[in-house]
Amino acid sequence: MSSWQDEMRDALGSGEDRSVLADERAAMGDRPPRELISLADDEGNSVSVNVLGRSSGWTAGLDAEIVVKTPFVSGRIDLALYVARLESWADALDRLDAGEDVAWMEMSSGPSIFIQLTGERDCPEVVVEDESGSMVTVRVPLVPPDDWVADHRRRLRQVMGHWVPMLSE
């Protein structure tokens, strides 16, 4: 487990560290955080993962969606999120920060997201694959801002800080 994950577990488990999460929630106006992933470029290409809310059919899960938008193709697919998936996203961010390509949710049912730091067009690419459902794969080249990994760690902290305590109730 990474030190970042240790910090996240500590923040979720201790009142002292919850003040950071409370400050982040206050900055958001107490609105539930929705964007777990938001990768976009100036060309109109984007891939996002949005939390829609608690799952109505599964108390330990969140309803979410993957949204792909490009000038050529756009689409969305439903996604179930739960604590282990959020933790695996934290692992993926650690690997990306270390300069490695990642596959998130690759061996599970439902869609997968692959992030290749140097894709087929010599720029970063996000590949969304729905092999088990529609059998469609979309490859989206985009160049995220320099601080995108840190931004996504903040997004993950906000999502986990808000939603994870509700999943254990």
Side-chain angles (χ1 to χ4, degrees):
M1 184 182 319
S2 72
S3 62
W4 186 87
Q5 281 180 298
D6 290 336
E7 290 173 24
M8 190 66 235
R9 283 190 197 278
D10 290 345
L12 290 173
S14 74
E16 179 181 321
D17 291 324
R18 283 185 177 268
S19 63
V20 172
L21 295 172
D23 290 345
E24 288 180 356
R25 273 197 297 274
M28 295 183 315
D30 284 335
R31 291 175 308 193
R34 300 288 182 192
E35 284 189 330
L36 176 64
I37 298 174
S38 179
L39 296 169
D41 66 13
D42 295 339
E43 305 296 319
N45 297 319
S46 68
V47 176
S48 59
V49 173
N50 302 311
V51 177
L52 303 175
R54 289 180 70 177
S55 175
S56 59
W58 183 38
T59 60
L62 297 170
D63 289 333
E65 65 182 353
I66 300 172
V67 179
V68 174
K69 293 182 182 176
T70 75
F72 177 67
V73 65
S74 295
R76 63 164 300 284
I77 186 165
D78 291 329
L79 173 68
L81 290 178
Y82 43 91
V83 174
R85 278 197 173 161
L86 294 170
E87 289 172 345
S88 71
W89 177 235
D91 289 338
L93 289 170
D94 288 343
R95 291 193 317 274
L96 287 162
D97 200 27
E100 299 175 34
D101 294 344
V102 298
W104 184 45
M105 304 181 296
E106 180 182 23
M107 298 304 291
S108 63
S109 61
S112 301
I113 295 177
F114 303 86
I115 300 176
Q116 300 168 342
L117 298 174
T118 305
E120 292 179 4
R121 291 163 186 83
D122 293 326
C123 71
E125 289 180 336
V126 179
V127 179
V128 178
E129 184 175 278
D130 181 35
E131 190 171 298
S132 65
S134 65
M135 295 184 275
V136 170
T137 299
V138 179
R139 180 176 303 273
V140 182
L142 51 81
V143 180
D146 291 338
D147 65 343
W148 74 274
V149 172
D151 176 53
H152 281 80
R153 283 185 172 139
R154 179 189 55 77
R155 291 171 187 277
L156 177 60
R157 266 194 319 273
Q158 291 175 341
V159 165
M160 290 188 77
H162 181 84
W163 295 106
V164 169
M166 290 182 204
L167 299 181
S168 59
E169 293 175 354

